[in-house]
Amino acid sequence: MGSFSLFHWLIVLIPISVALIFVFRKTPIGPNRFGGQPQAMGFGQAIGSYFKNYVNFSGRASRSEFWYSALFVFLVAIALYFVDRSATLNLIWSLATFLPSIAMAARRLHDTNRSGWWQLLALLFPIGTVVVLAWYCRASTVEDSREPVFA
């Protein structure tokens, strides 16, 4: 039971190497097909945008909008845990923020010129989760924000 065979190493290293290919692969060349450059937001603006775009899966979300919204959802969940230890309120909060969180994540991936469907990669825990988190943290580049030019 103390040995770690070549087979075990392959089981660990192959998914990690496949995930790293996704992380370091360049985004598609050309203008971002998901819209114009999003604006940076403060905490209050991000929360307002989070609930205003409740199930809006189109467009782009800036890093500040995404992370401030995630922080707000997390802080409310912690507060509800201390208020109601039976987790009933926390379950209601989780159900109420499920779709807007998916929509916000899709818009955040759009800002990096990726489809929102890539967030399904996070289901391949732990490697896929790390890849998707790296994409959430990545800033959009200048070539990501160019508008399409129609002749």
Side-chain angles (χ1 to χ4, degrees):
M1 195 156 146
S3 66
F4 205 69
S5 69
L6 178 64
F7 180 70
H8 291 106
W9 278 110
L10 289 175
I11 289 175
V12 171
L13 293 177
I14 289 174
I16 289 174
S17 60
V18 169
L20 287 175
I21 290 170
F22 283 117
V23 170
F24 294 115
R25 190 174 74 173
K26 292 259 187 207
T27 56
I29 306 269
N32 191 314
R33 61 188 187 270
F34 299 108
Q37 183 77 15
Q39 64 176 354
M41 295 186 176
F43 189 72
Q45 288 176 315
I47 295 167
S49 173
Y50 179 78
F51 287 112
K52 187 176 94 178
N53 296 313
Y54 197 80
V55 288
N56 180 10
F57 290 87
S58 62
R60 296 166 67 179
S62 64
R63 284 189 298 176
S64 59
E65 181 181 359
F66 176 80
W67 288 112
Y68 280 143
S69 300
L71 176 65
F72 173 73
V73 169
F74 178 73
L75 290 177
V76 170
I78 294 294
L80 289 176
Y81 174 75
F82 285 120
V83 169
D84 180 25
R85 295 287 174 130
S86 68
T88 305
L89 291 176
N90 225 346
L91 177 65
I92 293 169
W93 176 251
S94 297
L95 289 174
T97 58
F98 179 69
L99 280 177
S101 296
I102 292 174
M104 177 66 72
R107 291 194 314 270
R108 178 69 205 124
L109 287 173
H110 289 173
D111 192 39
T112 61
N113 209 11
R114 288 181 175 81
S115 172
W117 289 101
W118 279 107
Q119 60 188 309
L120 292 176
L121 189 64
L123 296 175
L124 300 174
F125 186 79
I127 298 159
T129 306
V130 171
V131 170
V132 174
L133 277 173
W135 286 341
Y136 291 156
C137 294
R138 184 173 287 174
S140 59
T141 60
V142 174
E143 50 271 356
D144 286 342
S145 62
R146 287 185 303 196
E147 295 293 328
V149 177
F150 299 105

